[in-house]
Amino acid sequence: MSTQAPTSADACLSIVHSLMCHRQGGESESFGKRAIESLVKKLKEKRDELDSLITAITTNGAHPTKCVTIQRTLDGRLQVAGRKGFPHVIYARIWRWPDLHKNELKHAKFCQYAFDLKQDSVCVNPYHYERVVSPGIDLSGLTIQHAPSSSIGLSSPLAENYPQIPHSSQANLSPFPRNSSSATWAGSSTATYTQTQDPQFWNNNHLQTSDNIPLPPLTNQQPPEFWCTITYFELDQQVGETFKVPYSCSTVTVDGYTDPSSLDRFCLGQLSNVHRTEASERARLHIGKGVQLDYRGEGDVWIRCVSDHSVFVQSYYLDREAGRAPGDAVHKIYPSAYIKVFDIRQCHRQMQQQAATAQAAAAAQAAAVAGNVPGPASVGGIAPAVGLSAAAGIGVDDLRRLCILRLSFVKGWGPDYPRHSIKETPCWIEVQLHRPLQLLDEVLQTMPLSSEVRPRGFFLG
């Protein structure tokens, strides 16, 4: 197959195929294809701009290119495949930053039709924009390619069966070329990350205000003895004892080798299971160097995939970064990826919101049972018949899930795989994060909930 880039004179299908190969995975394959097809068709009559787009994308912005414009809509958003979004964000997610959010783009000075300039035409050339972390943080002089956004908590129902979003995250310095694996997707609900987020930069800047004043700690309680506990499973059966990681080990490795485990290393290869299946036996052989978990700041967690095979993670932080509802995705992380998977401040906001929602819904439901049926404006507009029941049904287990990471080695699960639950995967781990569980205990204790809803001190159990 020829690797020569197409030109505007080529057929739309050829151009789309070439541009699809440079996707970074911020959108599903089907959505990305529809968005690229739509853009190429709009640019067919503006061949110089189409050539600029092709050059920008196929060279990763190595050569200067002109604005690539489409007509601005009334509300500024572009509709593709039944979804609306800001056009410059959509195409930047497809070709540059898969975990991008709409408030993180700043146009280059030379861009004449940037979205913020509010002209009749909008430039969607991804290389006419730069990503910013947040106001007040100067990115000049940094050697990292990209930096992550700040976190905002979301309140949404939690799902037990997770749709599959594989993420592949690769470092600039990884042994892989920039686009080597980002063009392959496991399914339509799978996204791929292609850049490393620098933890030192995040640690130094993200938990501070724009005036460089450190944010106050989320709690004054002394941290628990261990920052996390790791439990290993094969299918639905726990194998071995729970592994506890003290704060003295900010980095812990979970691998497939048979060496004795130490404070900062959990070796799964040494664990025996008389009920082990052939599938688990095969998968265990491919864990290899496994993963590293890094504890940062007050409780943020990063994962590095050092295995030769991808790992699959359930992470509410990555759900938010991918624009999904909490608990609504599984994230595929490719070898050499280093990516943030947990943000303690986002988690804290989320647990506060969900606990408050559950409390209000329970109160409104009790009022309804007593004959005082609330109107549609009460409890955030939750209808008493179904919405109240669902919101009031949010329990401790749902909130605890916010403080837990689940990771499957080698095999994925979700809609794109025959395994619908992580408990059907051959080997996986559950990581309970103790600091956020401690925060959750505080949140629940400050709310006048019944003892059935709010057990005290559960995080240490």
Side-chain angles (χ1 to χ4, degrees):
M1 182 181 293
S2 173
T3 58
Q4 183 176 357
T7 69
S8 59
D10 289 313
C12 284
L13 187 63
S14 299
I15 299 172
V16 170
H17 176 76
S18 175
L19 296 180
M20 282 285 288
C21 292
H22 293 269
R23 286 184 309 110
Q24 302 302 299
E27 301 289 356
S28 70
E29 183 174 15
S30 59
F31 181 88
K33 185 176 182 181
R34 292 278 292 276
I36 294 172
E37 285 176 342
S38 173
L39 180 58
V40 169
K41 289 177 181 177
K42 290 175 182 176
L43 296 176
K44 254 306 187 179
E45 302 303 318
K46 299 187 286 187
R47 295 181 59 173
D48 56 339
E49 292 188 22
L50 182 54
D51 280 325
S52 288
L53 175 69
I54 295 170
T55 299
I57 302 307
T58 58
T59 66
N60 293 328
H63 302 290
T65 50
K66 64 187 301 182
C67 286
V68 177
T69 61
I70 61 175
Q71 187 71 28
R72 180 186 289 271
T73 60
L74 289 177
D75 66 355
R77 295 185 297 169
L78 178 69
Q79 181 161 331
V80 178
R83 284 174 45 193
K84 278 194 170 186
F86 295 107
H88 63 312
V89 176
I90 289 175
Y91 292 107
R93 278 172 57 88
I94 289 175
W95 284 311
R96 286 197 76 181
W97 300 289
D99 57 346
L100 179 73
H101 290 274
K102 63 182 180 182
N103 296 324
E104 296 177 345
L105 284 184
K106 178 181 179 181
H107 66 269
K109 294 180 179 179
F110 55 78
C111 184
Q112 300 177 339
Y113 296 95
F115 181 84
D116 292 340
L117 299 181
K118 301 189 183 302
Q119 301 198 49
D120 291 338
S121 296
V122 177
C123 178
V124 295
N125 186 335
Y127 292 93
H128 278 208
Y129 295 89
E130 292 300 326
R131 188 176 187 179
V132 295
V133 179
S134 63
I137 296 180
D138 182 10
L139 298 183
S140 61
L142 291 178
T143 57
I144 60 172
Q145 182 178 359
H146 307 303
S149 66
S150 60
S151 297
I152 299 174
L154 298 176
S155 177
S156 178
L158 302 176
E160 179 63 32
N161 295 322
Y162 313 102
Q164 171 67 37
I165 294 190
H167 301 317
S168 124
S169 173
Q170 291 172 307
N172 321 3
L173 303 178
S174 77
F176 298 98
R178 177 174 173 79
N179 295 314
S180 63
S181 65
S182 62
T184 58
W185 283 44
S188 61
S189 60
T190 293
T192 301
Y193 287 127
T194 55
Q195 79 280 352
T196 287
Q197 300 166 318
D198 185 278
Q200 190 58 47
F201 173 80
W202 183 275
N203 210 32
N204 290 343
N205 295 280
H206 182 65
L207 299 172
Q208 298 182 354
T209 66
S210 58
D211 297 323
N212 288 325
I213 301 173
L215 294 171
L218 294 172
T219 178
N220 292 322
Q221 287 194 64
Q222 287 295 316
E225 183 180 0
F226 306 101
W227 70 262
C228 80
T229 51
I230 305 171
T231 309
Y232 172 61
F233 295 86
E234 294 177 2
L235 301 175
D236 61 351
Q237 183 178 23
Q238 178 178 339
V239 178
E241 299 294 326
T242 296
F243 185 80
K244 300 177 180 180
V245 185
Y247 280 88
S248 60
C249 301
S250 59
T251 297
V252 60
T253 299
V254 183
D255 60 38
Y257 299 129
T258 56
D259 296 340
S261 296
S262 56
L263 282 178
D264 62 351
R265 184 180 176 194
F266 187 17
C267 294
L268 304 180
Q270 64 167 335
L271 302 177
S272 60
N273 177 11
V274 295
H275 303 293
R276 180 165 293 150
T277 64
E278 184 179 348
S280 294
E281 193 69 64
R282 287 198 306 268
R284 284 166 53 84
L285 295 176
H286 297 292
I287 295 175
K289 295 180 181 179
V291 295
Q292 291 176 348
L293 304 177
D294 282 356
Y295 182 92
R296 303 285 177 181
E298 194 175 353
D300 297 344
V301 178
W302 299 68
I303 283 181
R304 184 189 304 276
C305 179
V306 286
S307 171
D308 292 333
H309 297 267
S310 299
V311 295
F312 299 80
V313 177
Q314 183 253 314
S315 155
Y316 293 109
Y317 171 76
L318 287 182
D319 294 343
R320 184 255 175 194
E321 292 295 291
R324 304 294 292 261
D328 188 42
V330 177
H331 303 263
K332 183 176 183 180
I333 301 181
Y334 286 83
S336 298
Y338 188 38
I339 195 165
K340 185 176 183 180
V341 292
F342 182 82
D343 184 285
I344 194 166
R345 291 187 177 269
Q346 177 210 358
C347 178
H348 190 228
R349 294 189 193 100
Q350 201 167 328
M351 65 176 64
Q352 287 177 318
Q353 291 169 353
Q354 291 194 184
T357 298
Q359 178 189 2
Q365 193 175 47
V369 171
N372 303 319
V373 181
S378 64
V379 198
I382 300 175
V386 178
L388 276 181
S389 178
I394 297 176
V396 170
D397 285 343
D398 298 304
L399 296 171
R400 282 175 63 98
R401 229 173 261 137
L402 301 176
C403 311
I404 292 173
L405 298 168
R406 286 177 164 182
L407 182 150
S408 171
F409 294 99
V410 185
K411 300 294 184 180
W413 81 96
D416 299 325
Y417 294 86
R419 298 163 292 275
H420 299 296
S421 165
I422 194 172
K423 294 181 180 180
E424 299 173 38
T425 61
C427 45
W428 58 282
I429 58 173
E430 180 177 274
V431 183
Q432 293 202 21
L433 304 173
H434 286 208
R435 189 63 162 176
L437 285 169
Q438 187 180 42
L439 291 174
L440 176 57
D441 197 48
E442 280 190 357
V443 168
L444 295 178
Q445 290 186 33
T446 59
M447 295 190 170
L449 302 178
S450 68
S451 58
E452 290 81 11
V453 179
R454 177 177 53 84
R456 299 174 64 87
F458 67 86
F459 75 91
L460 293 177

